[in-house]
Amino acid sequence: MSIREYASVRRWQSKGPILAGGTVYALVLSPSEDQHHPLIAGTPVGAFRSLSRGALWSWANRGLAGLQVSALACSSNGVLFLGTLDGSLARSVDGGYSWECMPGLQDCGSITGISVSPDYLKDGTILIGTESAGVFRSTDSGRTAKPVNFGLVELGVLCIACAPGWPTRSIAFAGTVDGLFRSTNGGRAWRPSGEDLEGLSIQAVSPSPDFTRDGTLFVGTEDDGLYRSTDGGDTFSAIGGDAMDQTVNALWVSPDYRKDHTLLVGSAGRGLLRSSDGGESWTPVLEVGHAVLAITGDRESIIAGFHGAGAYQSSDGGLTWEPCAEGLHANAFTQLALSGKTLFASGPDTGVFTSLDGESWSPIADLPDLAGLAALAVAPSSGTGPAMLLSDVERGLYLSEDGGGTWSQVLDESVSALCSAPTGGDIRFLGGTTDGRLLSTGNGQDYEVTAPFQGEAVLRLATSPDFASDGIVVAATRDAADGASPIAFWRSHDSGSTWTRLLEEEVNLLHVDLIADPAREGRITAVLDRYCLLEQDDGTWARLPLGMGDPPVLAIAARGSTSESYLMVGTTLGVFVSGQGAGWNPMMRGMGYAPVLAFAPANGDQDQAVWALALGGLIWKWDRRD
C-alpha cells in the first residue's frame, strides 16, 4: 500500500475534548461593531474567539508564536493586542482571525498586562507590563517598544491601566509586587501612588469610566483585599470588609458607573462578587469552586474567565450567570498513554483522566496532592488495574498498582522523564532525573539508581516494543545548567545498564520526542525543532524536513509490519505520514488543523488504531478497521 493510500484510507474520528472549559487567563471584548464585537479569550493553549459573546468559541491562533496567552487589550477601533507568558507580543486588525507577531521585548519575562491609550486613534500608544523588565511603551501600535521605567523602583509589574482623559490628562497606573505607581505623562515616568498601598502586591487596577470627574480608582491585591481611591490615586482606603476575599485577581467597572455604581470583583476563593453602591456592600453572584482570573464586558453582557472552569456570561449586569464553554477547550493536557484498552491523559496541572472509548473521560479522584505533574508512565498489571507511576515536580515518585485507586510515595526524587517497559507480565519502569541519573525498577517499589547522564537533564525515555528480548532503551538529554545546549541522544542494549552517546543536535525549539523503531532494530527516530531525525543503518543521521512550511514537530509514532513500515509525526499543523522519511504526506482527513502533541501507542502494527492528543485536550482516533 502506498503512503498516499495509507494516509487517505480512513478519516480521523473526533472523540471530543477530554474536558470542556479549562483555564482562561485573560479576556477582552472588542467595541467594534463592524467586526461583530469579537470576544477573545487567552488561555494556556492559545487564543479562542467568539462572535456570539461566548455562546460558541473557535481557535484563534493563526500567526501566533507563543500560545500561553496571558494578556489582552483592544483599542477603540478594534485593534487587538496579545501578550504571552514567554514574552511575545502580537496584534490583530481583523478581530482576532489572524495575528501579526511584533518584535520581542528584551529580557522581559512574561507579559502581564497591556493597556491601550484612550487617544489611540491619534497617538497609537500602548503600555505593556512585564514580569521582570517593568513597563514598555509603544507609540506605533506595537511595532517598536521601549522600556519606560524612570521612577518605577519595582520592575515586577502585575497589571497596567490607562485612565480615561488622554491626551488632556495622560494618566496611567502600574500595579507591581511592591505597590502601585502612577504616571501623569502617558507612561514616560512613574511615582508611587498612595502610601496606603506601599508594600502590597497589586494584581488588578481599574479606573472609573468617569475618572476625569470622579477620580475613582479600584485596586485589587494578592493578599490584602480591595482598595478604592476617589482622588485620582493620591489616597486609598480598604473596602469590602469581611465580605471581600483577600485575593482579588480581576476587576470590572460598569460603563455606566456614574449612574449605577456597579462593579464586579473576581476573587481566588469566593468567586464573583458584585456591588451596586460603589463598593460599600457586596453580594456573591457566582461561585464555582475555582478562582476568577479575568472579567470583560460592556452594557450588553459581561464575561468572566476562571482557572479550570472555563467562562461564564451574564446579560443582566452580573446578577445571574450561565456557562459559555461550547468550543472552548483550554486544558493543557500534554501526555497520552494506552494500557490494554484504557487510555490515560495528563498534563502539568490537569490531573490524570482515563477513558475506554476516547469520548467519556473520568478523573482519577484519589491522586496525591501534586504541585505539578512532570511525567506519567502506565504499564499493564495482572492485579486490579494498570500499574501507574507519576512524578511530581516537588515531591518525587508515586506508584499505583490498581489503576489509580491507591497511591504510595516510592521515591523522593526530581524525575523529569518516565517510561514503562513491556516485559511480559512484571511491572517495569524506567525514570530519568533532572541531574542525569537513571532509575530502574522491576516491581515499582525497589529502585536501582545509576548515573549514566551525569550533569544532564533527561528529557525523554523510550523502550523498544521488543524490550523483553532486546533490552533496548533510548534517551534524549540536555545540559541541566545550559538551556541553549544541544540535545544528546543515547541508546542502551542491556536494559539501561550501559549507554552509548550517539549524537548531539543543536536546536532552536526545546521539544523532543523519540522512539526505538522496531522496524529498524531499535534505531532512533526522533522529532525536534522543525524536522525528523532518522538514525540510518550505517550509523549516520538524516535530517528530514517535512516541507509544508516546516512547522514545529511535536510527536512521533511508528506503524509497521514485516513488509512495510510508516512514520507518523504530529506537528502544529496536524499529522503527516512517511515511509521512513522518504517524502511526507498529510494525514488529516477529518481532522484539519489540529496541533498534535502525542500519539498512543507510540509503536504498533500497521493495522492498529492510532490515538492522537491535540492541543487543548482534543482526542482523535484513526482506525483502518472501522
Side-chain angles (χ1 to χ4, degrees), residues 215-465:
T216 298
L217 177 74
F218 296 95
V219 170
T221 70
E222 183 178 9
D223 298 307
D224 298 276
L226 182 67
Y227 286 76
R228 179 182 61 198
S229 173
T230 56
D231 56 13
D234 290 338
T235 61
F236 288 84
S237 57
I239 59 174
D242 292 339
M244 182 54 55
D245 192 311
Q246 294 305 295
T247 300
V248 175
N249 298 322
L251 293 167
W252 180 82
V253 182
S254 166
D256 297 318
Y257 179 80
R258 185 180 179 187
K259 296 179 180 179
D260 60 27
H261 301 291
T262 296
L263 64 148
L264 291 168
V265 160
S267 72
R270 297 187 181 180
L272 280 166
L273 302 165
R274 182 180 187 272
S275 174
S276 57
D277 55 12
E280 294 299 323
S281 60
W282 293 88
T283 302
V285 290
L286 179 64
E287 211 288 294
V288 297
H290 297 261
V292 184
L293 301 181
I295 312 173
T296 191
D298 57 14
R299 291 180 175 86
E300 183 178 334
S301 58
I302 311 168
I303 301 91
F306 289 75
H307 182 278
Y312 283 72
Q313 188 261 4
S314 173
S315 56
D316 57 8
L319 291 170
T320 61
W321 296 81
E322 296 290 337
C324 55
E326 185 175 352
L328 180 67
H329 34 80
N331 294 283
F333 287 97
T334 56
Q335 301 177 74
L336 188 67
L338 181 67
S339 177
K341 296 182 179 180
T342 305
L343 285 163
F344 295 82
S346 64
D349 61 0
T350 61
V352 182
F353 284 69
T354 65
S355 175
L356 293 174
D357 59 7
E359 296 181 8
S360 301
W361 291 82
S362 301
I364 293 179
D366 297 320
L367 283 177
D369 184 17
L370 302 176
L373 197 154
L376 173 73
V378 184
S381 172
S382 57
T384 56
M388 305 170 63
L389 193 66
L390 64 81
S391 168
D392 180 72
V393 293
E394 293 182 359
R395 300 183 180 94
L397 285 176
Y398 291 83
L399 174 71
S400 173
E401 297 180 76
D402 56 7
T406 59
W407 294 86
S408 59
Q409 186 175 13
V410 291
L411 276 180
D412 182 12
E413 298 283 354
S414 181
V415 176
S416 51
L418 287 169
C419 70
S420 63
T423 58
D426 316 354
I427 300 173
R428 181 74 177 182
F429 291 111
L430 297 169
T433 71
T434 54
D435 60 1
R437 286 171 295 147
L438 182 74
L439 314 175
S440 177
T441 176
N443 59 14
Q445 299 283 351
D446 302 313
Y447 287 80
E448 178 185 346
V449 182
T450 57
F453 320 115
Q454 197 162 12
E456 302 203 12
V458 182
L459 305 178
R460 287 286 189 275
L461 286 170
T463 59
S464 161

Side-chain angles (χ1 to χ4, degrees), residues 592-613:
Y593 168 78
V596 171
L597 308 178
F599 293 111
N603 280 300
D605 66 59
Q606 64 180 11
D607 292 322
Q608 187 173 8
V610 183
W611 296 92
L613 170 66

Side-chain angles (χ1 to χ4, degrees), residues 25-45:
Y25 289 143
L27 286 164
V28 68
L29 178 63
S30 169
S32 174
E33 293 185 11
D34 292 342
Q35 295 173 343
H36 307 289
H37 295 286
L39 171 66
I40 309 297
T43 80
V45 295

Side-chain angles (χ1 to χ4, degrees), residues 121-140:
L121 294 180
K122 293 183 179 179
D123 63 26
T125 297
I126 63 170
L127 299 180
I128 306 156
T130 70
E131 175 189 27
S132 56
V135 176
F136 286 76
R137 186 174 188 265
S138 172
T139 56
D140 55 8

